């Protein structure tokens, strides 16, 4: 335990680690403030913006929360009407709120794709639920369509996505010097003669690396969830992904992520982010074990992390299926929340691929570092 604490201290005592984590959490808070500032709600002739808009939308949604029915849709339009005021750069009908915007997007003949003539259409009627993609999704899943306020989960996904990208950079800088430090100080032969032994020293180092990485991931997820729960609430976990701002469209197909519940979607996305950042740690451990200078270790780890993006553009869409699988199984694509819409139901296979590759990296790193006692 003493050796474990010492390894944790060696990884975390640098100012860069503390400043980096503080910077990440601060950026995520500011990003959340920006997302909240974009919220709007038009109710009874009053335009609410920012935090007030969120609370007003939550308030008016309470009355209609639950199983969505045609009667509820008619009551929403009877109470709030169809939005119709078009203002350039508004991002939607200016006089909309969460309720009538939902009806317009999924259950009416109106749309908003731009501000010029022909790019938008003011709704004039609603469609029965069974005649829309929502009805098809309900029939496909065998479940009722649950209606609730879900804007917060789209913000959660965006914050998680940004937080994982920033966390990956911090992990690269922290873990890449895991083994390099002793090599630069010519301490490897001495460390391998201690009473704890060579094998225990290596295992403790790797355990400390994964502990630090897990703590960084947990801090980002916990802050993200706390912010969204406080501002937006936790409603809508049983709603379908396709009716949220995470997608903005519904595609009633067996393979489509849009027919998942928000609960399942968030569980998968958060789990994939954990797998991704742990795989990044494992890959960085392997790279650190083979480098003799911290600059080389950081550089190679950064290249390995970003390489899948380059390969994605270089590899043709047809053929090369194994390379495509490895790209989607990489740490970067696991941490990119929106990549789940590309992989869909194949996410489990990719997660197992990532776990296997991580184990290989750690084992290879242990062997490579253990052979360097004479350096």
């Amino acid at each position: 335990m003493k050796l474990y604490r010492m390894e944790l201290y060696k990884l975390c005592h640098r100012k860069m680690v503390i400043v980096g984590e503080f910077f990440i959490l601060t950026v995520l808070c500011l990003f959340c403030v920006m997302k909240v500032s974009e919220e709007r709600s038009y109710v009874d002739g009053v335009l609410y913006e920012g935090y007030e808009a969120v609370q007003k939308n939550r308030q008016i949604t309470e009355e209609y929360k639950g199983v969505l029915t045609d009667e509820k849709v008619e009551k929403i339009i009877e109470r709030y009407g169809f939005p119709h005021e078009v203002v350039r750069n508004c991002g939607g009908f200016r006089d909309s709120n969460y309720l009538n915007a939902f009806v317009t997007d999924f259950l009416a003949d109106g749309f908003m794709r731009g501000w010029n003539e022909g790019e938008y259409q003011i709704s004039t009627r609603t469609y029965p639920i069974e005649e829309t993609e929502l009805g098809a999704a309900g029939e496909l899943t065998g479940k009722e369509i649950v209606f609730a306020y879900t804007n917060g989960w789209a913000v959660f996904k965006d914050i998680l996505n940004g937080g994982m990208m920033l966390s990956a950079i911090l992990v690269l800088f922290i873990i890449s010097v895991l083994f390099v430090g002793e090599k630069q100080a010519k301490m490897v032969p001495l460390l391998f003669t201690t009473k704890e032994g060579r094998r225990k020293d290596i295992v403790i180092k790797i355990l400390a690396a994964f502990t630090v990485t897990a703590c960084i991931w947990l801090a980002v997820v916990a802050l993200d969830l706390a912010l969204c729960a406080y501002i937006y609430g936790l409603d809508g976990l049983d709603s379908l992904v396709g009716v949220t701002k995470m997608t903005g469209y519904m595609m009633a197909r067996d393979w489509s992520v849009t027919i998942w519940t928000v609960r399942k979607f968030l569980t998968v996305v958060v789990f994939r982010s954990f797998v991704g950042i742990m795989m990044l740690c494992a890959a960085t451990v392997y790279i650190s074990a083979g480098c003799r200078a911290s600059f080389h270790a950081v550089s190679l780890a950064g290249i390995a992390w970003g390489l899948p993006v380059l390969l994605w553009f270089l590899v043709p869409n047809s053929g090369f299926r194994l390379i495509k699988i490895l790209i989607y199984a990489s740490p970067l694509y696991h941490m990119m929340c929106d990549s789940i819409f590309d992989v869909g139901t194949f996410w489990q296979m990719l997660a197992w691929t990532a776990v296997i590759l991580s184990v290989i990296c750690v084992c290879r790193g242990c062997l490579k570092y253990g052979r360097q006692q004479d350096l």
Side-chain angles (χ1 to χ4, degrees), residues 25-231:
L25 299 181
T26 301
V27 169
L28 297 185
C29 289
L30 293 176
F31 182 73
C32 183
V33 170
M34 182 190 73
K35 298 295 288 187
V36 173
S37 68
E38 296 173 354
E39 297 283 347
R40 299 190 326 278
S41 180
Y42 190 86
V43 179
D44 296 330
V46 179
L47 179 63
Y48 299 89
E49 296 181 309
Y51 182 76
E52 286 187 343
V54 174
Q55 302 311 309
K56 193 64 179 179
N57 278 331
R58 291 178 63 186
Q59 178 186 335
I60 64 177
T61 305
E62 280 296 319
E63 181 181 350
Y64 306 95
K65 190 168 64 172
V67 176
L68 185 65
T69 62
D70 292 326
E71 290 74 18
K72 286 184 178 181
V73 174
E74 293 300 327
K75 287 182 180 179
I76 289 173
I77 297 306
E78 181 180 344
R79 172 69 177 83
Y80 299 103
F82 289 116
H84 60 274
E85 188 175 345
V86 179
V87 177
R88 185 171 292 275
N89 298 325
C90 190
F93 292 104
R94 181 180 179 275
D95 56 341
S96 65
N97 54 51
Y98 181 77
L99 296 177
N100 58 16
F102 177 89
V103 174
T104 299
D105 291 339
F106 298 102
L107 298 165
D109 59 348
F111 57 85
M112 166 64 80
R113 303 189 185 105
W115 302 280
N116 300 318
E117 288 293 334
E119 295 180 335
Y120 66 88
Q121 178 176 305
I122 298 172
S123 300
T124 58
R125 62 179 293 252
T126 60
Y127 299 111
I129 295 175
E130 64 179 11
E131 297 180 7
T132 65
E133 283 291 308
L134 295 187
E139 184 177 350
L140 184 62
T141 59
K143 299 178 181 178
E144 301 282 358
I145 302 299
V146 177
F147 180 67
Y149 183 72
T150 59
N151 281 3
W153 298 121
V155 176
F156 177 89
K157 177 182 73 71
D158 292 340
I159 294 178
L160 180 65
N161 194 72
M164 287 300 104
M165 295 301 107
L166 294 174
S167 297
I169 297 173
L170 183 60
V171 168
L172 288 175
F173 277 99
I174 296 175
I175 309 302
S176 59
V177 298
L178 180 68
F179 295 123
V180 173
E182 281 79 7
K183 296 177 188 177
Q184 291 185 146
K186 305 297 183 182
M187 293 289 290
V188 175
L190 179 61
L191 290 173
F192 284 163
T193 61
T194 60
K195 65 179 181 179
E196 286 81 7
R198 179 190 312 171
R199 180 174 299 178
K200 186 175 182 180
D201 177 72
I202 296 174
V203 171
I204 291 297
K205 281 181 176 294
I206 293 175
L207 181 61
F210 279 102
T211 301
V212 172
T213 302
C215 288
I216 293 173
W217 173 85
L218 183 61
V220 171
V221 174
L223 177 65
D224 188 5
L225 183 60
L227 289 173
C228 292
Y230 177 75
I231 298 172

Side-chain angles (χ1 to χ4, degrees), residues 329-349:
S330 66
L332 178 62
Y333 277 89
H334 266 90
M335 288 185 281
M336 289 172 58
C337 297
D338 288 332
S339 67
I340 188 62
F341 296 109
D342 295 327
V343 303
T345 55
F346 292 100
W347 71 269
Q348 294 181 2
M349 179 191 70

Side-chain angles (χ1 to χ4, degrees), residues 305-361:
W305 179 58
L307 185 61
V309 176
L310 179 61
L311 290 176
W312 176 257
F313 289 104
L314 294 179
V315 176
N317 290 328
S318 59
F320 301 94
R321 182 167 297 180
L322 178 59
I323 297 179
K324 290 288 187 180
I325 292 175
L326 292 176
I327 290 174
Y328 275 119
S330 66
L332 178 62
Y333 277 89
H334 266 90
M335 288 185 281
M336 289 172 58
C337 297
D338 288 332
S339 67
I340 188 62
F341 296 109
D342 295 327
V343 303
T345 55
F346 292 100
W347 71 269
Q348 294 181 2
M349 179 191 70
L350 296 173
W352 278 111
T353 303
V355 170
I356 293 172
L357 292 175
S358 298
V359 172
I360 293 174
C361 285

